[in-house]
Amino acid sequence: MQSITLTRFLIEQQREANALPSELRLLIETVARACKTISYSVAKGALGEVLGSLGSENVQGEVQKKLDVIANELLLDANEWGGHLAAMASEEMETIHRIPNRYPKGEYLLLFDPIDGSSNIDVDLSVGTIFSVLKAPEECSGREVTEQDFLQSGRNQVAAGYAIYGPQTLLVLTIGTGVYEFTLDREIGSWRMTDGPMQMPQGTCEFAINMARRKQWSTGVARYIDERIEGAEGPCGKDYNMRWTASMVADVHRILKRGGIFMYPADARHPDKARLRLMYEANPMSFLIEQAGGAATNGFGPIMDVQPNGLHQRVGVVLGDRAEVEIVTEYGRETA
Ligand code: AFP
């Protein structure tokens, strides 16, 4: 039997699970359509004159790639007129993007990292788009949306997902009823379900961390990694492999499919210094990982329990295999 399309899946979720209001279904389809367009831009590469940097910096102080801005504009243009959203927020924009008065407004807040892993674009490695959906607070209907309205914990997410632009273009999505993967059928331009409900394998001996950041690690993280490098001769009693793609979307997708642990801990010398952003990287990925039977912490407690204090707040990330994440947390407690 042919795999079902994203549209059919969402309509069936709406009927069966009653977990999907029409407005949210339409929002997800709009984001998926924008990711399809981004995929075509990414795939053009040098032929589409989309590679390289713009010479500008974003709010994070990071050099903006052309595709960062192209993808950001595509997501804003696709989502601002549909009537599903009260506002949007992006890694590439300092403050929120309110829905222009000429368009109807909806009850959802959309947050996204338009191109995650953008330092990989020019060397043809997988990159992706990460998105998270929250509900706007009730009182928003009578006033302008503010940045404060976005500062909700990850537990409030009603949907989250990513597109990964790699050998295949995939969309991985949860609305709280499990994790589902769709592959872009380029011949007819539709998303077709190719996996799900996904449960990430447990017990895989593979860790993902940027080893060059060792000086930033706590003694607990250093102990955890050193033991895995010692392998079968060490306290683990088994050998581990390592992967690091410097594209969170690619690393998380690998972990969802074959297990393991992903770590980008906060700098132990300056705990408020971390690499990954809470609202549009860590929270959506944590929602997916927990829905797929894994764990996601900031090294101390669940990421989705963190109460945000800023739109671009950064956080340490340890996610994936439940037992491995718990060991990192335990080592952190022992050395605290
Ligand atoms: P870019 O989008 O600037 O390439 O950063 C990607 C990222 O936010 C995340 O996707 C990676 O896991 C992490 O940064 C890689 O960081 P390092 O370059 O320090 O390894």
Side-chain angles (χ1 to χ4, degrees), residues 98-296:
R98 293 191 181 90
I99 302 305
N101 288 331
R102 62 185 179 279
Y103 295 131
K105 293 172 184 54
E107 59 182 337
Y108 295 104
L109 302 174
L110 176 65
L111 303 97
F112 49 82
D113 178 358
I115 295 286
D116 171 67
S118 47
S119 56
N120 287 318
I121 291 171
D122 297 349
V123 293
D124 196 26
L125 291 177
S126 296
V127 295
T129 298
I130 308 172
F131 64 91
S132 171
V133 183
L134 295 165
K135 284 198 74 171
E138 290 291 326
E139 68 273 14
C140 269
S141 52
R143 59 166 172 76
E144 276 219 322
V145 179
T146 66
E147 187 170 307
Q148 191 63 36
D149 296 320
F150 280 78
L151 302 187
Q152 303 176 39
S153 84
R155 297 289 173 205
N156 288 8
Q157 294 175 100
V158 292
Y162 57 80
I164 180 167
Y165 313 115
Q168 303 96 44
T169 289
L170 304 178
L171 180 77
V172 176
L173 167 74
T174 186
I175 57 170
T177 60
V179 179
Y180 292 86
E181 174 198 88
F182 301 84
T183 299
L184 180 60
D185 179 342
R186 292 183 179 280
E187 288 170 7
I188 53 176
S190 71
W191 295 100
R192 307 199 74 88
M193 187 186 288
T194 41
D195 198 354
M198 296 167 74
Q199 280 297 303
M200 62 164 289
Q202 301 293 323
T204 300
C205 298
E206 191 163 68
F207 65 88
I209 195 167
N210 182 337
M211 297 295 280
R213 303 279 184 269
R214 185 182 180 92
K215 59 183 179 301
Q216 296 174 7
W217 299 350
S218 67
T219 46
V221 168
R223 174 184 170 192
Y224 174 83
I225 296 295
D226 290 346
E227 286 180 357
R228 271 126 203 90
I229 292 171
E230 280 181 84
E233 292 80 49
C236 283
K238 48 191 178 178
D239 290 334
Y240 276 66
N241 191 27
M242 193 202 101
R243 285 283 183 278
W244 186 252
T245 66
S247 204
M248 186 184 197
V249 172
D251 282 318
V252 169
H253 188 69
R254 185 190 59 254
I255 282 165
L256 277 174
K257 299 293 272 191
R258 75 180 192 212
I261 185 171
F262 171 93
M263 303 169 71
Y264 211 123
D267 185 335
R269 303 161 301 179
H270 312 285
D272 59 330
K273 274 185 71 179
R275 166 81 184 183
L276 301 175
R277 276 62 52 143
L278 173 64
M279 297 303 293
Y280 39 78
E281 288 175 328
N283 270 341
M285 291 309 201
S286 299
F287 192 8
L288 290 161
I289 288 289
E290 286 197 7
Q291 282 284 309

